Amino acid sequence: MNGEAKKIVSNTLWMIFDKVFILVLNLLVTVRIANYFGSSEYGNYQYAVSIVAILEIIVTFVDARVVKKRYVTVDSDLLVFNATICRAIFSAIAFLVGIIYIIIANRGEQFSIVLIVLLFNAIISNLRFGMTNRFEYLLKSKKTVIAADISSALSSVLQLIAVSFECSIVAISIIALISSVVNLTIITIQYRVEFKSEGKNHFDKQLVAEMIKESLPLAIAASCATLYTRCDSVMLGALMTTAEVGIYSISVKLISVVQIALAPIRESVYPKLIQLHSNNLKEYEKMYVQISSLMTWIYIVGVLFSYVVLPFAFTLLNEEYAEAYPVFQIHVLGTFFMYNAALRAGHFTLINRGKILTYSQIVSVIANIILNYVGITMFGMYGAAIATVLTQAISLFFSNLFFGKDGREVFWWQVKALNPMYAIQLLKSGSFPKARSKKQ
């Protein structure tokens, strides 16, 4: 294994460690909190979480991949400053829209307080975007992992204490805010130690305009993805009750067991794929298929692992959450498409075909809303889960066929990724190809 491959593997392992650590904490705390508050009150909290997630789609107008592309041409400190400021401004806009929603919805004082705290928490979280993005680009995710794990551990302890003292669900949202402040503080200290920025930053209108313009199609695609992963909870709350939202949210949380390797691998290999695409298209295509194959088969292993571990986790929940496991068994099928298409959005970004993501996601979110309405009306929570899986299949796999040569090319790459031999080739090589001239 060469030095570059070791660096990528090390970065990936640190990110996976972060996911595993936080996952274990979440499993323990989620079970305790869900059992204590019950499906109705816990569902009310998760309903607020879903509302925040939908409102926060506006921050994707500054896409992380678009920012990473500019480190080779733009001063890093200037890029980090402007990307962070933009995210914070968009998050503040989401906060204001959330306040309007509270006034219109009138869902009670407790729900309103929880939603306001979570909206403010989102602003704090976005203030670390630029610093985290730079650490990820330089394959130094160890820095962000340390901050995330310390803040998550603190959050878990505080939540358990809050439950032991019989605090209201509002306390859980306040603890989430405290955790974000701690995370931001640690990241900021590490960033200043690592880069020793001189602070000569200013708001660059041209840079911001360029990032937003390039991020726009990706943002619309990401927004649609968030909508079809969150609107099921919102529609459940609207068409049924928040108790169903609470039960359904358990499956949504535990599906992260299967998705645990997705982001770490994708984020770690993306800088290398950027280099290969610029200098060696043949090797880029080969690497794309091999990594996609590896991720597809990691999914299969992850599913088998989840079926061994998670039945035990579900036995720890109160009987009122019994339906969460069948919902999970449906949800896990859709995760296949997420792994198989993990590099898809990054590829379309590199070839400047972000509109493919936009159009496919717009169609998908419309289909998802229709499928959710029909599914929830007929089958309740199971219908919502089926709608999510069908939407993921349409959005991440079959839609590629309708977008010309570039779309069909990605479709066949994803089909090739089903062959485990490509994953085996990558593991046997133990290295990444060196970038060379396109002429070669």
Side-chain angles (χ1 to χ4, degrees), residues 31-334:
V31 168
R32 182 74 177 93
I33 291 176
N35 286 339
Y36 175 74
F37 288 109
S39 60
S40 181
E41 192 170 3
Y42 181 68
N44 205 37
Y45 178 82
Q46 290 300 324
Y47 189 78
V49 170
S50 294
I51 294 296
V52 172
I54 290 174
L55 293 176
E56 276 287 295
I57 60 179
I58 191 174
V59 304
T60 58
F61 278 75
V62 181
D63 185 84
R65 288 157 297 191
V66 170
V67 175
K68 288 174 183 175
K69 282 176 61 177
R70 281 169 168 73
Y71 281 108
V72 294
T73 57
V74 178
D75 177 76
S76 297
D77 288 333
L78 183 66
L79 183 60
V80 168
F81 177 81
N82 281 275
T84 302
I85 290 297
C86 282
R87 280 262 181 159
I89 291 174
F90 284 133
S91 190
I93 294 172
F95 182 92
L96 295 176
V97 175
I99 297 300
I100 295 173
Y101 171 81
I102 288 172
I103 296 172
I104 296 174
N106 192 27
R107 296 181 65 91
E109 182 180 356
Q110 186 180 75
F111 176 84
S112 299
I113 295 173
V114 168
L115 186 56
I116 290 173
V117 174
L118 291 177
L119 285 167
F120 189 63
N121 173 56
I123 296 176
I124 299 299
S125 298
N126 279 294
L127 290 176
R128 63 176 184 260
F129 169 74
M131 295 180 288
T132 300
N133 184 271
R134 187 175 180 183
F135 278 133
E136 289 176 354
Y137 176 76
L138 296 174
L139 300 179
K140 294 184 177 181
S141 293
K142 177 181 178 180
K143 306 289 186 181
T144 61
V145 168
I146 292 173
D149 289 351
I150 292 175
S151 58
S152 295
L154 175 64
S155 175
S156 297
V157 171
L158 291 176
Q159 287 182 67
L160 293 175
I161 292 173
V163 170
S164 67
F165 279 92
E166 300 183 352
C167 297
S168 73
I169 198 74
V170 173
I172 304 302
S173 61
I174 294 174
I175 290 169
L177 175 60
I178 294 172
S179 174
S180 291
V181 172
V182 171
N183 194 328
L184 174 62
T185 302
I186 297 172
I187 285 285
T188 302
I189 293 172
Q190 290 181 313
Y191 187 85
R192 289 179 177 176
V193 171
E194 181 78 18
F195 300 109
K196 297 179 175 61
S197 172
E198 297 180 2
K200 296 179 180 179
N201 297 317
H202 63 277
F203 189 74
D204 189 324
K205 292 182 180 178
Q206 182 178 349
L207 175 60
V208 168
E210 290 174 356
M211 288 193 295
I212 293 176
K213 181 179 179 181
E214 189 174 348
S215 295
L216 184 59
L218 301 174
I220 295 174
S223 300
C224 291
T226 300
L227 283 172
Y228 76 64
T229 55
R230 289 291 182 173
C231 77
D232 45 8
S233 294
V234 174
M235 291 182 72
L236 270 174
L239 297 174
M240 301 184 76
T241 68
T242 54
E244 280 79 15
V245 177
I247 298 169
Y248 190 84
S249 68
I250 296 295
S251 171
V252 174
K253 274 183 169 291
L254 293 180
I255 199 70
S256 58
V257 172
V258 185
Q259 297 173 357
I260 203 163
L262 185 61
I265 297 176
R266 181 179 60 210
E267 298 302 323
S268 295
V269 302
Y270 189 60
K272 179 61 183 178
L273 289 176
I274 293 174
Q275 296 173 20
L276 282 177
H277 187 267
S278 300
N279 300 287
N280 195 334
L281 290 176
K282 185 176 180 180
E283 290 291 349
Y284 170 82
E285 178 181 341
K286 177 183 176 182
M287 187 60 57
Y288 186 105
V289 174
Q290 289 180 339
I291 294 173
S292 295
S293 179
L294 178 64
M295 297 189 75
T296 299
W297 285 90
I298 285 176
Y299 157 81
I300 294 173
V301 174
V303 168
L304 296 176
F305 177 75
S306 73
Y307 278 114
V308 174
V309 174
L310 288 186
F312 172 73
F314 280 97
T315 62
L316 301 176
L317 291 162
N318 291 341
E319 189 176 344
E320 62 182 319
Y321 294 102
E323 289 183 281
Y325 187 59
V327 172
F328 168 83
Q329 291 177 304
I330 299 172
H331 267 147
V332 77
L333 300 176

